[in-house]
Amino acid sequence: MAKKRTKSKSKKTSTTAKKKVSFKPSKQNKIIFGSLLIVLSIALFFSFMSFYFTWQEDQSMLSQFADRNAEASNLLNKFGANVSHFFMYKGFGLASFVFPLLLAVTGLYLFLGLHGKRLISKWIWGLVGVIWGSIALGFFAVDFPLLGGLIGYEMNDFLQDYTGKIGVFLILIFVLMVILVQLFNFTPEGFANFFRRQKQKIKSDFNEDSASSTTLQSTLDDQEGSIELTTEDNVPEKVDTYTHKKDIPPLDEAGLDVNIPEEEESDIALKVEETPIEEEETDAKAAKLVEDFGEFDPKLELGNYKFPTLDLLESHGASGGITINQEELEENKNRIVSTLKNYKIGIAQIKATIGPTVTLYEIVPEAGIRISKIKNLEDDIALSLAALGIRIIAPIPGKGTVGIEVPNKNATVVSMRSVIASNKFQKAEMELPIAFGKTISNETFVVDLAKMPHMLMAGATGQGKSVGLNAVITSLLYKKHPAEVKFILVDPKKVELTLYNKIERHFLAKLPDSEEAIITDNTKVINTLNSLCIEMDNRYELLKSAMVRNVKEYNTKFKARKLNPNDGHKFLPYIVLVIDEFADLIMTAGKEVETPIARLAQLARAIGIHLIIATQRPSVNVITGIIKANFPARIAFRVTSKIDSRTILDAQGADQLIGRGDMLYTQGNDVTRLQCAFVDTPEVAKITDYIGSQRAYPEAHELPEYVGEESGTSLDNDIAERDAMFRDAAEVIVTAQQGSASLIQRKLKLGYNRAGRIIDQLEAAGIVGPFEGSKARQVLVPDMYSLEQLLENEAK
């Protein structure tokens, strides 16, 4: 019996010992204690704040704490007066504010259930900061002993007795350096790098040799790569922890562990905590890199690049305001009122808003008037006003009025300079800001191309499309660095965009084997569009591996040095594709152009590729349903018919514009009338000369190489599968002695794909040589007689 009792006692003691060892405060207790500390920190903060306003009045109340009838002036009454007197007067002075901060941080850690391993170091360094701050205040504020407290005053007096004022000052500097190095990872390199990044404020630091800046950035990338690789070695440990977590038994309804031995439970808890620690280590290493070397700056290679100045643009005679012709306003108002009265339409109110080109008359019809009746009088009002371009908006979106837009007799030219210089554009926090011009209310109209995300522009010849494209490109040149945006310019006219050749190595992108950056050959357009599709796919792979959703998040993560360049990661600039005459491409290439453009329009918005397409023929066979569905932002200059207006805008009105930059913009349901900013060809030449004269990249931005169908080498020489136009194509090639698919396209009026297949068949038959890049293929048959003999021998 005695043995049994001793065994039972030993079991009880062992179980109680185990319980004591494994005791942990519950989550509820942590929340309660954390809330208490947060409340206490707030109370201390307000009592400390109130001390410096009420300490004289509360001196007599310090000894009357037990007297319930006594009241102190402190915000927390006698408690606040006594506590603040203890900390602020007898303690550390202003440095005592660190104690409420430490209590609040500790309370948050407990309240949120965070790991408290760093709390001890926070308290240690907090106390060091309190002592240092108290002594520093006692040293510098000798005449105000309350600032440093009694401890700071006495310790400062004690140190001065042994080291003097200079010695105390040197001790304070040394301790401050220790705090900066230990807490903020202060280094001379990081300090110098901080000033180097301030290139706009301190331009003298960027006068170094360009080669040294390039080698500096490469060494930084190498160091970043080595550190990132060391973190990847720990990946198998993460896999082990998650496979171990699968072995954890299920929880019952009360949330308690079921049949888990205490030793296994402690092991499981230990391993589950490893994963966030590893993630914190990787973030800490990235933060350490940023603190030592600064964030990655893509502009560093062209650190001395200067943005174009406003002096390069002309004012075009605009004084900055709009001249108001009162007689014209009254005359137009009276004619509108009289015309509507003739049709028994009464007006309750009329108001005029004067714009640079058009004046908007807002009328409020009397009760009972049908709006459709006013809309049908569009031609009659235009006849009475004897004006071109009357447009009726019935009703104006968001207002209970009907708008009648009447062109001004003397239109004001909106200069690009006035738009670029406006505060709305200069302070625009957009990724790709574009300043189109001014609205009817004379406000600068700025939109973000990155949010459009693609734009369709149409209008008849001479109505302002090319000026609109120049306004778009000029806006981006004035706002973006060459490292941030690249242009792909397609100009079938060969004369509109040639001025931008001067900035080829700054802002343009092209195919690797292309001689000119501005594309004028339609066959090269197809290769460029397919190359863009490859670039799009590559960028999506980078976003996938970086675990981000768009190019903005990716670049932010790359600048923070959280992505390893050795894994293929790099800074991704925005790419803007500009096509000046889309109808010509559709006529010559058809589906071969429409398919990659539709694919880019559907998918490329997230990875920073944006399309701007312009055409002078907005017919349904050019602007197809697929194109319209993926181009929500549309601009319409003056067109010749209502059908064209509906094709481009899905609404009427573009046929009633007055031309010369008068345009309608829509990005959904609302249609906004604008006067496009005018930028002349000499102004564009000045801007490109200014940019082109500066130091540039060694080459233009290269797109991925695309190998078209012409470059196939594994060819099948099956006569039965040859194209029906094979013999005619062979005769054309031998006669012209020029082996190219474009020649077959022109002579036989075939599509690009079919001409490419015929070229492959001619190569297999030995009539033309292999693909030689941009050069035409060599014709191996000298004359028609040799061709006839070759074909007859094949037939046998």
Side-chain angles (χ1 to χ4, degrees):
M1 293 292 292
K3 290 182 180 180
K4 290 183 179 180
R5 286 179 183 176
T6 52
K7 287 182 180 179
S8 61
K9 286 182 180 180
S10 62
K11 287 182 180 179
K12 288 181 180 180
T13 53
S14 62
T15 53
T16 53
K18 287 184 179 180
K19 288 181 180 179
K20 288 180 181 179
V21 171
S22 61
F23 172 77
K24 291 182 181 179
S26 64
K27 185 176 181 181
Q28 290 81 0
N29 292 335
K30 287 183 178 180
I31 293 174
I32 294 172
F33 190 59
S35 303
L36 176 63
L37 292 180
I38 293 172
V39 171
L40 182 60
S41 67
I42 296 172
L44 289 179
F45 175 79
F46 281 107
S47 64
F48 291 174
M49 287 288 294
S50 180
F51 172 79
Y52 283 98
F53 300 98
T54 63
W55 69 274
Q56 292 178 335
E57 303 173 12
D58 294 341
Q59 282 294 311
S60 60
M61 307 300 299
L62 297 176
S63 60
Q64 303 179 17
F65 186 80
D67 188 1
R68 294 185 59 183
N69 296 323
E71 290 188 3
S73 300
N74 194 287
L75 290 177
L76 272 77
N77 210 329
K78 290 180 289 184
F79 171 80
N82 283 272
V83 171
S84 61
H85 178 77
F86 176 78
F87 279 97
M88 308 297 285
Y89 181 76
K90 292 185 177 181
F92 304 96
L94 281 177
S96 299
F97 276 98
V98 175
F99 289 112
L101 179 62
L102 291 173
L103 288 175
V105 171
T106 306
L108 284 174
Y109 266 71
L110 293 173
F111 187 84
L112 300 176
L114 302 175
H115 298 286
K117 294 182 179 180
R118 297 185 179 181
L119 274 178
I120 298 175
S121 63
K122 291 183 186 297
W123 273 92
I124 292 173
W125 285 109
L127 294 175
V128 172
V130 167
I131 297 172
W132 181 89
S134 179
I135 297 174
L137 289 170
F139 179 81
F140 291 105
V142 182
D143 298 332
F144 302 96
L146 283 178
L147 296 180
L150 186 61
I151 293 178
Y153 181 81
E154 293 294 339
M155 291 184 69
N156 179 65
D157 192 36
F158 173 78
L159 291 173
Q160 286 191 20
D161 290 341
Y162 289 94
T163 61
K165 288 188 176 181
I166 296 178
V168 175
F169 179 75
L170 293 176
I171 292 172
L172 290 173
I173 293 296
F174 172 73
V175 176
L176 177 63
M177 187 61 64
V178 172
I179 293 173
L180 291 176
V181 171
Q182 291 294 329
L183 289 184
F184 304 103
N185 294 325
F186 173 81
T187 58
E189 295 85 0
F191 187 72
N193 208 13
F194 170 78
F195 284 96
R196 192 176 292 113
R197 294 197 304 271
Q198 310 297 323
K199 60 177 180 145
Q200 294 182 352
K201 298 180 181 179
I202 309 173
K203 295 184 178 179
S204 60
D205 291 340
F206 285 89
N207 293 329
E208 300 175 358
D209 186 56
S210 60
S212 63
S213 66
T214 306
T215 55
L216 171 64
Q217 193 60 45
S218 64
T219 55
L220 299 186
D221 292 340
D222 292 339
Q223 292 182 12
E224 177 190 358
S226 62
I227 292 179
E228 289 288 340
L229 285 173
T230 57
T231 61
E232 290 180 0
D233 295 337
N234 295 328
V235 172
E237 296 183 9
K238 292 186 178 181
V239 177
D240 293 338
T241 59
Y242 284 110
T243 55
H244 196 79
K245 285 171 67 178
K246 292 179 181 178
D247 300 330
I248 299 175
L251 301 179
D252 63 359
E253 294 179 357
L256 302 176
D257 294 347
V258 180
N259 295 328
I260 301 179
E262 293 182 3
E263 294 179 358
E264 293 181 10
E265 185 179 7
S266 61
D267 292 340
I268 293 172
L270 178 63
K271 289 194 174 183
V272 170
E273 292 176 359
E274 286 178 3
T275 303
I277 291 174
E278 290 177 3
E279 294 176 357
E280 289 177 3
E281 287 178 356
T282 55
D283 292 340
K285 288 177 181 178
K288 181 72 167 56
L289 277 175
V290 172
E291 289 175 2
D292 290 345
F293 307 111
E295 288 191 348
F296 173 76
D297 188 4
K299 306 175 186 177
L300 195 60
E301 190 172 351
L302 295 185
N304 294 324
Y305 175 79
K306 295 180 181 179
F307 288 85
T309 59
L310 288 175
D311 300 335
L312 303 173
L313 298 172
E314 298 178 7
S315 300
H316 294 291
S319 59
I322 298 176
T323 56
I324 300 175
N325 190 338
Q326 198 66 33
E327 295 180 359
E328 182 182 350
L329 290 177
E330 286 294 328
E331 184 179 353
N332 288 339
K333 184 196 76 170
N334 294 332
R335 287 182 177 178
I336 291 173
V337 172
S338 61
T339 302
L340 294 178
K341 279 186 177 179
N342 292 338
Y343 293 93
K344 298 179 181 180
I345 297 175
I347 298 176
Q349 184 182 353
I350 186 169
K351 182 180 74 171
T353 303
I354 305 168
T357 308
V358 176
T359 299
L360 173 65
Y361 294 89
E362 294 184 49
I363 62 174
V364 179
E366 292 181 348
I369 302 298
R370 295 173 63 90
I371 293 179
S372 59
K373 191 175 182 181
I374 302 176
K375 183 72 175 175
N376 294 332
L377 296 176
E378 197 167 18
D379 295 334
D380 298 296
I381 296 173
L383 178 64
S384 65
L385 294 173
L388 176 67
I390 300 293
R391 196 170 78 101
I392 293 181
I393 310 170
I396 297 178
K399 297 183 179 179
T401 58
V402 176
I404 301 176
E405 294 175 348
V406 181
N408 300 332
K409 291 183 179 178
N410 298 318
T412 303
V413 177
V414 177
S415 65
M416 196 70 198
R417 177 170 182 165
S418 64
V419 174
I420 295 292
S422 64
N423 288 331
K424 192 170 185 180
F425 179 76
Q426 292 293 335
K427 297 180 180 179
E429 295 181 358
M430 302 177 180
E431 293 299 313
L432 297 173
I434 295 174
F436 277 119
K438 294 191 176 181
T439 62
I440 290 178
S441 57
N442 203 34
E443 295 180 358
T444 303
F445 190 79
V446 182
V447 292
D448 190 0
L449 178 61
K451 293 183 179 179
M452 286 185 184
H454 311 293
M455 185 169 60
L456 193 59
M457 188 182 296
T461 304
Q463 302 304 317
K465 288 192 313 302
S466 297
V467 175
L469 289 177
N470 285 331
V472 170
I473 299 174
T474 302
S475 299
L476 296 176
L477 292 180
Y478 266 88
K479 202 71 174 176
K480 308 305 289 185
H481 190 273
E484 297 175 315
V485 64
K486 301 295 179 183
F487 295 96
I488 299 175
L489 304 179
V490 178
D491 183 17
K493 297 179 184 176
K494 304 181 181 181
V495 293
E496 294 292 346
L497 302 176
T498 52
L499 288 172
Y500 297 103
N501 265 325
K502 301 172 186 175
I503 60 172
E504 174 182 336
R505 293 188 295 135
H506 290 86
F507 281 99
L508 300 190
K510 65 178 184 180
L511 293 173
D513 297 332
S514 181
E515 296 180 0
E516 295 182 357
I518 297 178
I519 305 166
T520 56
D521 188 1
N522 290 343
T523 57
K524 292 183 180 179
V525 176
I526 299 169
N527 293 340
T528 303
L529 292 176
N530 288 303
S531 174
L532 263 183
C533 291
I534 298 174
E535 173 74 12
M536 177 183 70
D537 295 335
N538 293 340
R539 288 192 172 198
Y540 268 117
E541 287 296 325
L542 292 177
L543 263 64
K544 178 183 176 183
S545 62
M547 292 182 290
V548 293
R549 296 181 60 188
N550 53 54
V551 69
K552 184 179 179 180
E553 296 176 2
Y554 178 89
N555 285 336
T556 303
K557 202 168 183 179
F558 187 81
K559 288 179 181 179
R561 302 187 180 275
K562 294 182 180 180
L563 300 176
N564 192 349
N566 293 334
D567 296 336
H569 292 290
K570 58 183 178 180
F571 182 81
L572 300 180
Y574 286 93
I575 297 178
V576 180
L577 171 65
V578 180
I579 300 178
D580 188 22
E581 187 47 66
F582 186 61
D584 185 61
L585 292 180
I586 293 294
M587 288 177 61
T588 54
K591 289 288 183 181
E592 295 175 270
V593 167
E594 183 181 352
T595 301
I597 281 184
R599 187 164 182 263
L600 288 169
Q602 289 169 355
L603 300 175
R605 60 181 300 172
I607 42 87
I609 299 177
H610 304 280
L611 314 182
I612 300 175
I613 293 177
T615 180
Q616 65 181 1
R617 202 184 75 193
S619 54
V620 291
N621 60 337
V622 175
I623 303 175
T624 60
I626 297 176
I627 297 295
K628 286 179 66 176
N630 294 290
F631 283 77
R634 301 174 199 165
I635 289 177
F637 293 91
R638 188 184 178 190
V639 294
T640 54
S641 66
K642 294 183 179 179
I643 298 175
D644 290 344
S645 177
R646 286 191 174 276
T647 303
I648 182 67
L649 292 177
D650 294 328
Q652 296 183 9
D655 56 313
Q656 296 163 335
L657 300 175
I658 61 175
R660 295 178 61 84
D662 191 17
M663 60 181 254
L664 296 176
Y665 171 83
T666 180
Q667 197 175 352
N669 297 326
D670 298 339
V671 178
T672 306
R673 190 166 185 174
L674 306 171
Q675 176 61 39
C676 183
F678 179 66
V679 52
D680 204 359
T681 304
E683 298 175 69
V684 178
K686 289 180 184 177
I687 295 171
T688 54
D689 286 337
Y690 181 84
I691 296 174
S693 62
Q694 301 184 50
R695 177 176 169 268
Y697 294 106
E699 294 180 354
H701 183 78
E702 283 195 357
L703 297 173
E705 185 177 2
Y706 171 74
V707 181
E709 292 186 3
E710 284 191 9
S711 61
T713 55
S714 57
L715 304 173
D716 189 6
N717 192 16
D718 190 355
I719 300 176
E721 294 182 1
R722 285 178 179 174
D723 195 279
M725 303 291 290
F726 174 83
R727 190 180 187 90
D728 296 334
E731 293 175 356
V732 169
I733 292 295
V734 173
T735 303
Q737 286 295 302
Q738 181 182 354
S740 66
S742 58
L743 178 64
I744 298 177
Q745 281 183 269
R746 293 194 303 271
K747 294 295 184 180
L748 303 180
K749 298 180 180 180
L750 301 178
Y752 182 79
N753 282 336
R754 188 177 180 186
R757 286 192 295 270
I758 294 176
I759 282 288
D760 291 340
Q761 294 170 4
L762 291 173
E763 180 185 349
I767 299 174
V768 296
F771 179 71
E772 297 179 3
S774 58
K775 297 180 181 180
R777 293 172 182 258
Q778 182 182 1
V779 181
L780 304 178
V781 179
D783 50 26
M784 293 296 296
Y785 177 76
S786 302
L787 177 64
E788 290 291 338
Q789 284 188 331
L790 177 64
L791 296 178
E792 286 178 6
N793 292 333
E794 283 188 344
K796 294 179 182 179

